[in-house]
Amino acid sequence: MQIRRLALLALVLSSTAQAANFNVTTTANSGPGSLRQALIDSNSPAGGVHTISFAGAFPDNGVILLDANLPTIQSQSLIVTGGSRNPRIDGQSLHTLFDVGASTGTFELSDMVLQNGAAPEKGGCVTSGNGASVGSMLAERVVFSGCQATGASLIRGGAIFWNRTSGSLSLIDSQFLDNSVLATANNGESGGGAVFTSAN
């Protein structure tokens, strides 16, 4: 009986250790307490559901002006929640905001504004890229504004490109404002000025 209890305790502690929380406390583009650093740190712990929250000294409606693309998300599951701070993440019409890697099966956003994200071809504010067929995304109370994807042809999803054929995309109380796709070739094709998805 004692051995079973010890084994169960070890299992619980192992599961708990896999999940981690990271706080964004500054609007700075990088460094301690930044969103960029929180994403880098969230890529390190294996497994579990990781959460990034805006807390501490982060100002209400604070704006994060990106000077480079945010790092690709590689954790198994990631929740990014703005909470009452309602942050604004701004790509300055130059940089991609959230790039969800193939290893991420669940990605959730809530209570924030994603604006002026830009990407070559797919997903200016959120892109799932290629290489994975399974994965779910949820955006709840998120505003996508002025996001754009640009390229010669086959341009998809100005705000969101979610290319998970066996996955899902859920949008709850979210808004899409002035997002766009632009194909620059004479015979270029584009689609999904706001959202393009192959999910069920």
Side-chain angles (χ1 to χ4, degrees):
M1 181 64 70
Q2 185 65 26
I3 294 175
R4 289 182 180 177
R5 287 178 181 173
L6 289 174
L8 179 59
L9 178 60
L11 179 61
V12 170
L13 290 175
S14 175
S15 298
T16 302
Q18 290 179 344
N21 300 314
F22 306 92
N23 286 332
V24 179
T25 58
T26 176
T27 59
N29 176 74
S30 61
S34 68
L35 174 59
R36 187 179 303 279
Q37 189 61 51
L39 287 168
I40 292 170
D41 293 342
S42 72
N43 283 338
S44 296
V49 178
H50 304 324
T51 302
I52 293 176
S53 304
F54 293 76
F58 194 91
D60 291 345
N61 303 306
V63 180
I64 300 174
L65 294 173
L66 299 181
D67 62 12
N69 293 350
L70 287 172
T72 299
I73 295 166
Q74 299 173 347
S75 57
Q76 177 182 327
S77 181
L78 182 64
I79 298 170
V80 185
T81 176
S84 62
R85 305 303 168 90
N86 195 40
R88 294 174 174 264
I89 305 170
D90 193 321
Q92 302 195 78
S93 298
L94 295 171
H95 310 297
T96 305
L97 306 189
F98 292 108
D99 179 4
V100 184
S103 60
T104 301
T106 304
F107 178 58
E108 298 183 11
L109 296 169
S110 64
D111 301 302
M112 65 184 63
V113 178
L114 304 183
Q115 60 192 35
N116 304 322
E121 300 183 347
K122 300 175 176 69
C125 279
V126 177
T127 180
S128 67
N130 296 303
S133 61
V134 179
S136 64
M137 175 184 167
L138 167 66
E140 186 168 9
R141 296 180 300 277
V142 178
V143 177
F144 298 85
S145 177
C147 304
Q148 58 182 309
T150 306
S153 187
L154 300 178
I155 313 307
R156 302 287 187 256
I160 299 174
F161 175 79
W162 193 252
N163 189 34
R164 305 290 175 93
T165 55
S166 298
S168 64
L169 173 62
S170 301
L171 304 171
I172 301 174
D173 296 332
S174 294
Q175 300 180 55
F176 293 84
L177 308 171
D178 300 322
N179 304 288
S180 62
V181 290
L182 175 63
T184 58
N186 291 334
N187 60 346
E189 298 180 13
S190 61
V195 178
F196 184 91
T197 183
S198 54
N200 296 328

